[in-house]
Amino acid sequence: MAGGSLAPIGVSKERAEQYQGKVTSYVIISCIFAAIGGSIFGYDIRISGATLNASAANLSMLILGRIMLGFGIGFGNQCIQLPEGFNDDCFLEGNILPQMRFPYICQRWRLSISEAPFHLRGGLNMMFQLATTLGIFSANMINYGTSKLEPWGWRLSLGLAAAPALLMTLGGIFVPETPNSLVEQGKTEEGRKILQKIRGTDNIHAELQDITDASELAKSIEHPFRNILKKRNRPQLVMAIFMPTFQILTGINSILFYAPVLFQSMGFGGNASLYSSALTGAVLVSSTLVSIATVDKWGRRTLLIGGGIQMIICQVIVAVILGVKFSSETELSKSFSVLVVVVICLFVAAFGWSWGPLGWTVPSEIFPLEIRSAGQSITVAVNLFFTFVIGQSFLSLLCAFKFGIYLFSAGWITVMTIFVYVFLPETKGVPIEEMIFVWRKHWFWKTIVPRYPDANESDVTQSDSME
């Protein structure tokens, strides 16, 4: 900013009631391509794939392929959730290694899921989770089928991970930039045309004005990771850390990673354990469809709290059954084994319509434009970090806690359910550009987030933009 001029303050008034638009084929196709990234993530939960793994001639080559896949999934998960996507500046400024441009062609992901019409954003955003669950289910089916193809079946399982990656790459080539990205680059007229195309109407003045206001503030911020630490962004930072952490601490990845081991330890045979794993995958897909249909009607809080209560009940029931039966028997009877599987499926269903999709949806829609890339980066990094931690520690925890592992998860689910009830405001039907007003109205966060930027905040913003 020029010396002495005031820093932009972003969106200064609520205009959501003036927004117009509908779900166009343009939006649906773009959301489908963006959500394909979830299928890669889901497939990878069950199978460690990308082409190098399938052609591995030794262990070192297999590990190298796995590391490269990890980089790709990390970039993909971050990009497809970003409402404004990456722009070329990300690469020019050195934020992303140039040699990593190819995985998923991140810089071409402009129209992301979260820029869908705000009154339908939740359901469309959950297409990422739906694709993830379909990836998990597909991997379970492929695992079962290729287990009979000796000696090369495992290569087929690994290599098929390239299919969704190819689709995502093609989508990245053809999907255009978002209005947010175009306006931020100074291409306002181009952004207007894309917004009209997305919304299916020419009357987009109010929404374009909000985008312009938010963009002006975003362009004045040169250090998003520094700015996300400021007091005015405290609620978003808290959610960026705790939502993905809680999502993993539900214990869902433990069940998905080790479902065959869990079911086999309950007395099922080898084939039965694979059938059971496929069953949990099918339940996860079905329950995600329920969430897509209800999230924009019932709201985020209702689904998170309701799903949390159902998961707590299921975890306690499984813990009690295993604790009582294994104290006197070496394995469960068939009837009790079936009961445990049913309860676990109910747990998976609760996760599928609550914390599964909403653990991604809520963080992706709460960040203002100026810190959106930093916020989503933190969300993805935290999620993958705890996925790694739980994946590495689950068997040790299972051996140490035995049936108590389910009570351990139930305790964490209780904490996160209370957290949502107390600290998470409802974001249903709120445009991303106006999300700041939600925090300013919340009983707790309004004591932290200033109603208007104070002098200190403005001074800091100006100094950041002058550096």
Side-chain angles (χ1 to χ4, degrees):
M1 298 292 293
S5 62
L6 292 176
I9 62 173
V11 179
S12 59
K13 59 183 292 187
E14 297 180 75
R15 304 185 182 93
E17 69 280 356
Q18 302 176 37
Y19 282 25
Q20 295 187 18
K22 57 187 178 181
V23 178
T24 61
S25 58
Y26 190 86
V27 170
I28 294 175
I29 292 173
S30 299
C31 287
I32 289 174
F33 271 115
I36 288 173
S39 66
I40 303 174
F41 185 50
Y43 193 90
D44 181 60
I45 287 177
R46 301 297 296 138
I47 298 176
S48 303
T51 305
L52 186 60
N53 283 349
S55 60
N58 52 54
L59 181 60
S60 298
M61 192 173 175
L62 191 65
I63 293 175
L64 177 60
R66 177 63 178 161
I67 291 173
M68 292 182 65
L69 178 65
F71 274 108
I73 287 177
F75 288 144
N77 281 345
Q78 205 268 355
C79 291
I80 58 181
Q81 292 287 332
L82 274 179
E84 81 278 16
F86 276 146
N87 57 38
D88 293 332
D89 292 341
C90 294
F91 300 93
L92 296 176
E93 294 172 3
N95 295 331
I96 304 295
L97 295 176
Q99 60 266 34
M100 297 306 296
R101 289 189 183 199
F102 178 73
Y104 312 138
I105 315 186
C106 291
Q107 74 273 33
R108 296 298 299 168
W109 279 113
R110 309 304 196 193
L111 182 58
S112 74
I113 307 174
S114 291
E115 288 204 20
F118 68 89
H119 60 290
L120 297 172
R121 183 180 62 234
L124 292 175
N125 201 306
M126 287 180 179
M127 292 180 68
F128 174 83
Q129 177 66 12
L130 178 62
T132 300
T133 60
L134 286 171
I136 293 171
F137 182 69
S138 299
N140 283 329
M141 295 294 95
I142 291 170
N143 271 341
Y144 179 71
T146 57
S147 66
K148 305 178 184 300
L149 300 176
E150 294 292 345
W152 50 270
W154 65 274
R155 292 186 182 275
L156 180 61
S157 291
L158 297 176
L160 286 176
L166 177 61
L167 289 175
M168 188 174 173
T169 302
L170 292 175
I173 294 174
F174 296 109
V175 171
E177 300 186 13
T178 65
N180 268 321
S181 177
L182 290 168
V183 171
E184 192 172 1
Q185 296 173 49
K187 303 176 182 178
T188 304
E189 188 57 34
E190 210 174 321
R192 178 193 295 275
K193 292 178 181 178
I194 292 293
L195 187 59
Q196 290 173 337
K197 198 171 184 180
I198 294 172
R199 300 298 182 239
T201 178
D202 292 335
N203 190 6
I204 46 83
H205 175 74
E207 185 172 2
L208 184 62
Q209 185 61 53
D210 278 351
I211 292 174
T212 302
D213 291 346
S215 177
E216 288 177 357
L217 176 59
K219 286 189 288 188
S220 72
I221 305 296
E222 296 185 358
H223 307 285
F225 280 97
R226 183 187 302 173
N227 274 272
I228 202 173
L229 298 176
K230 292 180 180 178
K231 187 176 181 179
R232 68 171 180 264
N233 295 319
R234 192 65 44 78
Q236 294 95 325
L237 178 60
V238 169
M239 295 302 164
I241 294 173
F242 280 95
M243 290 298 290
T245 300
F246 286 152
Q247 184 192 52
I248 302 303
L249 290 177
T250 58
I252 187 65
N253 278 358
S254 304
I255 290 176
L256 297 180
F257 283 153
Y258 298 107
V261 177
L262 288 173
F263 290 132
Q264 202 158 9
S265 68
M266 295 172 193
F268 290 88
N271 286 339
S273 67
L274 283 171
Y275 281 129
S276 300
S277 299
L279 178 61
T280 58
V283 169
L284 199 54
V285 172
S286 302
S287 57
T288 303
L289 292 173
V290 173
S291 186
I292 291 175
T294 59
V295 66
D296 290 309
K297 296 178 181 178
W298 298 352
R300 283 66 163 156
R301 282 169 51 87
T302 298
L303 294 182
L304 286 170
I305 294 172
I309 293 173
Q310 182 173 327
M311 285 191 287
I312 293 169
I313 294 172
C314 291
Q315 294 279 30
V316 171
I317 291 175
V318 172
V320 169
I321 292 175
L322 297 183
V324 171
K325 299 302 292 183
F326 277 138
S327 63
S328 58
E329 304 175 25
T330 56
E331 66 178 37
L332 291 178
S333 63
K334 183 176 181 180
S335 59
F336 273 103
S337 296
V338 171
L339 177 60
V340 169
V341 171
V342 169
V343 175
I344 286 179
C345 285
L346 290 174
F347 168 84
V348 171
F351 177 86
W353 57 261
S354 61
W355 279 93
L358 289 169
W360 292 107
T361 298
V362 171
S364 74
E365 64 185 6
I366 62 174
F367 300 112
L369 186 60
E370 67 269 18
I371 60 168
R372 202 165 291 167
S373 59
Q376 194 60 30
S377 297
I378 292 172
T379 298
V380 173
V382 170
N383 183 283
L384 296 180
F385 172 76
F386 277 96
T387 298
F388 170 78
V389 170
I390 294 299
Q392 296 301 310
S393 62
F394 175 73
L395 287 181
S396 298
L397 291 174
L398 182 62
C399 292
F401 291 167
K402 298 181 173 61
F403 65 89
I405 190 70
Y406 297 98
L407 296 178
F408 175 78
S409 295
W412 278 112
I413 299 171
T414 302
V415 171
M416 65 185 72
T417 302
I418 295 173
F419 174 87
V420 168
Y421 181 80
V422 175
F423 295 112
L424 181 66
E426 182 55 64
T427 57
K428 177 188 70 172
V430 182
I432 290 177
E433 292 78 18
E434 298 185 5
M435 201 64 68
I436 184 62
F437 298 109
V438 172
W439 305 111
R440 290 174 182 169
K441 294 175 181 177
H442 187 266
W443 74 271
F444 175 78
W445 296 118
K446 69 180 181 182
T447 64
I448 297 176
V449 179
R451 186 165 182 80
Y452 301 101
D454 57 33
N456 292 331
E457 292 277 355
S458 296
D459 290 343
V460 173
T461 302
Q462 291 180 45
S463 65
D464 280 349
S465 64
M466 295 173 64
E467 289 178 4

